[in-house]
Amino acid sequence: QVQLVESGGGLVQPGGSLRLSCAASGIIFRIYTMGWYRQAPGKQRELVAQITSGGSTFYVDSVKGRFTISRDNAKNTVYLQMNSLKPEDTAVYYCNARNILTRADSWGQGTQITVSS
């Protein structure tokens, strides 16, 4: 059974930084594409960043240059370093694991990020 446990959310002032972590268990981590999605109130969930098993990355335009996704296959963990945070980054952030063979998705429970002064 896939389990994804996120940590690192919270309240931060505009311009600040946070790092999210997502620890995965119950999967062969190296065959999963890992990603971070977010959902703001009244909006659809959107893909923020994604990293393949080979290390290729994707970022939504709104976070390019500010967010960095990385993974540690030895620790079964994916990270999202978020710098220069803006109020519009406020959302619940979800960790996603996609099996590259079956394309099945698994989700974490979500962690709240609030950017406010």
Side-chain angles (χ1 to χ4, degrees):
Q1 184 176 355
V2 180
Q3 282 194 322
L4 302 173
V5 179
E6 298 125 335
S7 60
L11 173 65
V12 64
Q13 292 186 341
S17 298
L18 283 175
R19 189 175 83 152
L20 300 181
S21 300
C22 173
S25 60
I27 61 173
I28 303 173
F29 190 70
R30 67 181 183 275
I31 68 168
Y32 280 75
T33 291
M34 301 299 296
W36 289 95
Y37 287 70
R38 67 186 178 188
Q39 188 166 19
K43 294 188 176 181
Q44 289 189 331
R45 189 175 298 190
E46 68 168 348
L47 175 62
V48 175
Q50 198 171 57
I51 185 166
T52 69
S53 57
S56 298
T57 57
F58 164 84
Y59 298 94
V60 69
D61 284 347
S62 59
V63 308
K64 284 181 180 177
R66 300 189 297 122
F67 290 11
T68 302
I69 189 170
S70 60
R71 64 190 290 162
D72 185 335
N73 288 341
K75 294 182 178 180
N76 284 10
T77 301
V78 62
Y79 305 96
L80 185 67
Q81 178 66 43
M82 303 182 290
N83 298 328
S84 302
L85 282 160
K86 304 176 180 179
E88 51 263 44
D89 295 318
T90 295
V92 178
Y93 283 69
Y94 297 90
C95 180
N96 169 266
R98 177 168 295 170
N99 187 305
I100 63 173
L101 302 177
T102 67
R103 301 195 66 78
D105 282 319
S106 298
W107 296 92
Q109 79 282 2
T111 185
Q112 176 71 46
I113 301 292
T114 301
V115 184
S116 175
S117 55

